[in-house]
Amino acid sequence: MPVALAFALLPAALVALVAALRAPLRFLLALYAFLLPFGSAISLPIGLPPPFDTPTSVVGLLVIAGILVHLLFVPRSAPRLLPAVPVWLAFATFVGLSFAWSVDARLTVDEVAILLSLVILYALVMLMPVEKADLRRVEEAVVLGGAVAGAYGIALLLGSGFAVTNNRFAVAGGVGKGIDPNITAATLVLPLAIAVGRAIRATTNLARVAFWTAGALIAAAIVLTGSRGGILSALAVIAVLVLNHPRRARIAIVGLGIVVIAAGTLAIAPDGLQRRITRPGSSGRTDIWRTALTRCDRFCIAGSGYGTFPTVYQDALHSEPSARGMDLPFVAHSIWIGALIETGIVGALLMVFALALVGRDLLRLPMEVRGPPLAGFVGVLVASTFLSTLGFKYFWMVLIYAGLSTLAHETESAAAARTRPVHVPRMIVRQA
């Protein structure tokens, strides 16, 4: 029976394969985007080492393969190379070389392998020709994945409990490191930005209701994670959408609706979750930052080696009398401090420069286009201030979406310019 079923499904599989290779962004990348909120926490028995044995990693490898085949056999590519791409490649090359002076070369090699896979995925996607249909399909996949995660969180809230023991909702993370509520909240920032943006721009009632519902589910899920950084990121998303929409009063009402939904979710959440969100303090982050920065005189120039922040932190904790914090191998919990300690001033400047180039491209887009990608970009930067995000797929998905939005707009503008009628002034003929 399994053999017969396999033969029966073979034609459909071949059609799906051809479609994926013909339009890898519209099919494979969309599937990758859909899986991001929950696919990285699932281990597959396929013989690959973690974290490459997850559904998102496997689909990510398929995206890379599909794009390579497409670029090899289809003579079309992106209209231009976005300036952030070579800077990110330079950053990845520099941090890859940091194993030579790393305080823990093995750890650096392991972390660089993860980073390189994500940078390669990002760079290859930026080489692809992008049409509006590709962008819409990826947007819808991002929103659908976030809505599924949100619906699961609501179901857990109304049912027996949450996915973690401390009454915080979590579905995203990494195999071997466990699911993490803070990572889950950060992963849902981009789905929230796109859902609200698409709801505002929707031209049919069905689309408007669908995206509003998705936005409400995603906002509720962010609250249920109990991540204060995630909630702050969501507020940044709404603020950016308000500032980048011609009808600010309308989007402000939308933002108020999202806040009301979030507040209602919090009202019925467990008491422990409510206390966590409203309590003061940094959850130990400032101690981690302060302790690690005592080693700045040694590592802020060349860096300690990519991925070695936990080693630097624990060494400082054990040797500095004034150091404070728990004796655990904490990551930096900040993209900025992590880059400074691990990659030094050169790596940190390369990262900031690449991010600035992405932001510049987004700000050059028309107001009616730039809202969701800019909101997702700002939101993930806010989240990254409290998280170490460079090795997580959702960070690079935000950069991919920003690049796709830029390229799709440029492609559409170029096509409109080619079809625009040329005005030829009439010649005035002087009669003899």
Side-chain angles (χ1 to χ4, degrees), residues 29-393:
L29 184 62
L31 177 60
Y32 176 82
F34 167 75
L35 291 172
L36 277 186
F38 43 82
S40 293
I42 303 171
S43 178
L44 299 175
I46 54 177
L48 292 175
F52 299 104
D53 58 344
T54 65
T56 48
S57 294
V58 172
V59 176
L61 292 174
L62 292 177
V63 175
I64 291 174
I67 290 176
L68 288 174
V69 172
H70 183 93
L71 293 174
L72 183 63
F73 291 103
V74 179
R76 289 184 62 211
S77 61
R80 69 181 179 100
L81 183 66
L82 296 179
V85 175
V87 181
W88 280 121
L89 290 174
F91 173 79
T93 301
F94 178 78
V95 301
L97 294 174
S98 70
F99 83 93
W101 59 85
S102 173
V103 298
D104 189 338
R106 180 193 57 80
L107 185 58
T108 296
V109 170
D110 291 343
E111 294 297 322
V112 165
I114 297 172
L115 177 68
L116 283 178
S117 66
L118 296 170
V119 174
I120 289 170
L121 174 63
Y122 164 74
L124 286 176
V125 172
M126 294 301 98
L127 295 178
M128 288 290 294
V130 184
E131 299 176 356
K132 257 308 189 45
D134 300 318
L135 182 63
R136 284 196 300 269
R137 185 66 61 84
V138 171
E139 286 181 336
E140 290 160 2
V142 169
V143 172
L144 182 59
V148 169
Y152 178 56
I154 295 295
L156 289 176
L157 175 65
L158 300 178
S160 59
F162 286 96
V164 289
T165 57
N166 59 352
N167 283 330
R168 299 176 65 192
F169 173 63
V171 287
V175 171
K177 299 179 181 178
I179 55 177
D180 188 302
N182 298 314
I183 298 299
T184 300
T187 304
L188 295 173
V189 166
L190 181 61
L192 178 66
I194 298 176
V196 176
R198 288 288 297 267
I200 297 167
R201 302 197 314 266
T203 56
T204 65
N205 289 332
L206 179 60
R208 192 172 295 111
V209 170
F211 283 110
W212 275 127
T213 302
L217 290 171
I218 295 166
I222 292 175
V223 171
L224 293 177
T225 63
S227 171
R228 291 173 293 175
I231 294 173
L232 185 61
S233 301
L235 293 175
V237 164
I238 300 300
V240 172
L241 290 173
V242 169
L243 294 174
N244 289 275
H245 194 274
R247 298 179 180 178
R248 293 182 179 177
R250 180 179 176 184
I251 186 64
I253 293 173
V254 172
L256 181 61
I258 294 293
V259 171
V260 169
I261 291 169
T265 304
L266 184 60
I268 62 174
D271 293 339
L273 186 65
Q274 297 178 14
R275 288 194 298 270
R276 175 180 175 78
I277 292 176
T278 57
R279 76 182 183 187
S282 64
S283 301
R285 283 177 172 82
T286 54
D287 288 338
I288 295 172
W289 301 338
R290 191 181 298 111
T291 297
L293 287 174
T294 61
R295 290 290 185 265
C296 192
D297 58 341
R298 185 184 306 178
F299 298 121
C300 285
I301 301 299
S304 63
Y306 183 72
T308 61
F309 186 94
T311 303
V312 174
Y313 166 75
Q314 286 194 297
D315 176 67
L317 189 65
H318 295 159
S319 58
E320 289 290 335
S322 61
R324 296 170 53 190
M326 297 178 63
D327 190 7
L328 292 171
F330 285 118
V331 294
H333 287 87
S334 172
I335 190 176
W336 319 109
I337 294 177
L340 184 62
I341 294 295
E342 294 180 354
T343 69
I345 190 66
V346 174
L349 287 177
L350 282 172
M351 184 190 74
V352 171
F353 185 40
L355 291 172
L357 290 173
V358 174
R360 185 197 63 172
D361 284 341
L362 291 176
L363 289 172
R364 288 179 173 178
L365 294 175
M367 182 177 287
E368 63 272 13
V369 175
R370 69 173 178 239
L374 183 60
F377 179 67
V378 172
V380 84
L381 290 185
V382 172
S384 298
T385 302
F386 310 102
L387 292 172
S388 299
T389 58
L390 281 178
F392 284 92
K393 301 179 183 73

